[in-house]
């Protein structure tokens, strides 16, 4: 194992090597995976005065631990689609593993995890009994392949809390589905009383739209600009009015008002320098969304931009309400479910910030 200070790694480490990191006075800070091509040079997987080598036993122990607690966790029941391994949150930076019924989808985002890929597959196959595992590339599709078994090129069906969704494991966004919105979808279902008109904005394959139908909403409209996602939406939630188009344009043109709205845009700030532009975009969206709300409507609003924290997001929503002359109550905060744990040593992992709002007075 190579060692070095926070800003200098001694020796000549190669991409994917394990390095021991020391503080300014030579004290041991911990152990991590080295990536000279990333802004984050070392992704830590152990803290404190440890020399523990992240060998095969380490990998097996961490994977087993991540799977074991989820298998019996009461908040993760009644779904066959869950995140089994959540990178830093499970002490395995650079590795995400999602289970969709009988298949796994892996996302590896560091050279060290790519080096471990084969061994990860050998561990996961017997532990999960999955029929196949698909390795999704981070940037290049050339790296995408089956890690073991076979994974169909066609969408597969999953069952989440009584809702059936078709999921495209090989080509869909993320690993095929937004597993991190499961609890918010359940809440959407509960809020969709029979005479409710629901609007799912940035709907992807209809996650919230189907939940609203399940809750008994009398009318559900979903807006999404991606054609493959729109097609799956139509398959997942027949009966929903599926609009293939741009959300800001829809909000400007369609004058209907709704009792229940999900506003779940893509990340507007992928880099720190995008934060101001992202805040303007969030504000603009809310200005318009508040014009589509009925008095007393519920609005579930999300930011999945790493660099826009919960506090900043709430300020942007508040300033939109003030400018629009709307009155809002915050009924709660929303975030990722427990299969996406947050490591206290990695607060940057809190990327999904949501608000449950009651629109007392719309714009
Ligand atoms: C965070 S995802 C939504 C996930 C979804 N709510 C779910 O639970 O499955 C954002 C979605 O917005 C779509 N999108 C991005 N820009 C858009 C735009 N201008 N108008 C409509 N949809 C857009 C993306 O294709 C993506 O499906």
């Amino acid at each position: 194992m190579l060692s070095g200070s926070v800003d200098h790694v001694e020796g000549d480490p190669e991409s994917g090597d394990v390095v021991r990191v020391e503080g300014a006075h030579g004290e041991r800070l911990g152990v991590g995976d080295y990536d000279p091509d990333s802004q984050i040079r070392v992704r830590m997987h152990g803290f404190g005065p440890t020399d523990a080598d992240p060998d095969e036993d380490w990998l097996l122990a961490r994977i087993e631990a991540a799977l074991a607690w989820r298998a019996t966790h009461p908040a993760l029941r009644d779904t066959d689609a869950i995140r089994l391994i959540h990178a830093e949150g499970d002490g395995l930076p650079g590795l995400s593993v999602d289970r969709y019924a009988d298949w796994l989808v892996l996302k590896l985002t560091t050279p060290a995890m790519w080096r471990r890929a084969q061994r990860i597959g050998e561990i996961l196959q017997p532990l999960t009994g999955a029929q196949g595992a698909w390795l999704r590339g981070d940037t290049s599709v050339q790296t995408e392949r089956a890690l073991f078994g076979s994974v169909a090129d066609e969408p597969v069906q999953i069952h989440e809390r009584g809702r059936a969704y078709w999921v495209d494991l090989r080509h869909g966004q993320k690993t095929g589905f937004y597993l991190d919105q499961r609890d918010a979808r359940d809440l959407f279902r509960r809020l969709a009383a029979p005479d409710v008109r629901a609007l799912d904005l940035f709907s992807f394959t209809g996650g919230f739209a189907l939940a609203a139908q399940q809750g008994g909403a009398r009318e559900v409209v979903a807006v999404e600009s991606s054609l493959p996602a729109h097609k799956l939406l139509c398959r997942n939630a027949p009966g929903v009015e599926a609009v293939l188009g741009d959300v800001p344009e829809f909000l400007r043109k369609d004058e209907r008002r709704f009792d229940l709205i999900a506003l779940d845009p893509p990340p507007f700030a992928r880099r720190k320098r995008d934060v101001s532009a992202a805040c303007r975009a969030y504000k603009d969206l809310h200005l318009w969304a508040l014009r589509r709300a009925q008095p007393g409507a519920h609005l579930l609003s999300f930011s999945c931009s790493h660099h826009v924290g919960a506090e900043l997001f709430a300020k942007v929503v508040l300033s939109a309400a003030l400018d629009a002359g709307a009155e809002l109550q915050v009924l709660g905060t929303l975030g990722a479910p427990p299969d996406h744990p947050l490591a206290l040593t990695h607060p940057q992992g809190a990327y999904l910030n949501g608000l449950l709002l009651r629109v007392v007075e719309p714009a």
Side-chain angles (χ1 to χ4, degrees):
M1 198 186 318
L2 294 146
S3 62
S5 69
V6 177
D7 38 37
H8 175 72
V9 178
E10 283 180 17
D12 194 11
E14 283 181 22
S15 182
D17 276 350
V18 171
V19 292
R20 190 172 54 221
V21 180
E22 294 170 355
H25 306 291
E27 73 279 20
R28 290 177 189 174
L29 296 180
V31 176
D33 292 337
Y34 184 64
D35 180 0
D37 299 320
S38 167
Q39 274 192 326
I40 302 165
R41 288 290 157 86
V42 181
R43 291 211 174 249
M44 305 296 288
H45 39 68
F47 287 89
T50 172
D51 271 336
D53 199 350
D55 56 11
E56 296 213 348
D57 289 344
W58 165 88
L59 190 60
L60 175 66
R62 292 228 166 155
I63 292 177
E64 278 180 338
L67 270 52
W69 71 262
R70 284 170 171 82
T72 53
H73 198 283
L76 297 174
R77 289 192 189 136
D78 197 17
T79 176
D80 60 5
I82 73 162
R83 175 149 291 198
L84 294 176
I85 297 176
H86 187 53
E88 274 88 351
D90 285 296
L92 290 164
L95 174 64
S96 302
V97 182
D98 290 338
R99 175 165 205 142
Y100 293 102
D102 285 333
W103 295 272
L104 306 181
V105 183
L106 287 82
K107 226 170 191 179
L108 309 182
T109 57
T110 61
M113 282 301 172
W114 277 104
R115 281 190 180 188
R116 298 178 186 122
Q118 203 50 43
R119 180 66 192 133
I120 291 169
E122 287 162 9
I123 293 172
L124 284 172
Q125 191 166 17
L127 280 181
T128 61
Q131 277 183 33
W134 188 255
L135 207 44
R136 294 285 297 252
D138 195 20
T139 47
S140 154
V141 284
Q142 284 155 3
T143 53
E144 308 212 336
R145 63 182 165 88
L147 183 59
F148 64 79
S150 63
V151 176
D153 206 18
E154 290 300 307
V156 304
Q157 200 170 37
I158 59 152
H159 293 88
E160 173 191 89
R161 311 271 156 81
R163 302 178 289 270
Y165 295 100
W166 291 98
V167 178
D168 186 346
L169 306 182
R170 285 169 60 160
H171 313 287
Q173 295 176 25
K174 289 194 108 178
T175 57
F177 198 59
Y178 286 82
L179 293 175
D180 52 2
Q181 291 288 30
R182 181 189 314 112
D183 286 356
R185 285 188 285 270
D186 289 344
L187 175 63
F188 209 66
R189 168 183 55 80
R190 291 201 299 277
L191 294 172
D195 56 348
V196 149
R197 272 179 148 186
L199 177 61
D200 181 2
L201 296 169
F202 303 98
S203 58
F204 186 50
T205 56
F208 285 101
L210 183 59
Q213 282 188 319
Q214 185 189 28
R218 77 176 147 109
E219 185 182 336
V220 185
V221 179
V223 188
E224 166 62 48
S225 62
S226 144
L227 181 60
H230 167 84
K231 283 184 176 166
L232 270 190
L233 187 158
C234 295
R235 197 168 165 191
N236 283 331
V240 162
E241 182 184 326
V243 179
L244 175 63
D246 176 57
V247 165
E249 204 180 307
F250 171 87
L251 288 173
R252 280 166 177 77
K253 283 191 180 153
D254 197 298
E255 294 189 344
R256 282 174 289 180
R257 287 187 180 259
F258 296 85
D259 311 285
L260 179 61
I261 303 175
L263 188 56
D264 186 18
F268 288 152
R270 290 186 193 273
R271 296 160 305 180
K272 232 178 181 164
R273 63 173 180 268
D274 299 334
V275 168
S276 317
C279 289
R280 282 194 297 278
Y282 284 125
K283 184 171 173 182
D284 203 43
L285 263 183
H286 284 84
L287 281 170
W288 283 97
L290 290 171
R291 292 184 187 157
R292 299 289 152 256
Q294 287 283 9
H298 287 102
L299 169 62
L300 280 68
S301 182
F302 300 92
S303 157
C304 57
S305 300
H306 283 264
H307 300 291
V308 178
E311 208 176 321
L312 177 57
F313 182 57
K315 276 187 189 160
V316 171
V317 175
L318 171 69
S319 80
L322 287 173
D323 282 11
E327 191 188 333
L328 299 180
Q329 285 174 315
V330 179
L331 303 191
T333 53
L334 308 167
D339 50 338
H340 295 64
L342 180 68
L344 286 175
T345 49
H346 186 246
Q348 300 86 341
Y351 65 97
L352 183 62
N353 293 299
L355 291 169
L356 169 61
L357 300 159
R358 186 169 166 271
V359 186
V360 182
E361 199 59 57

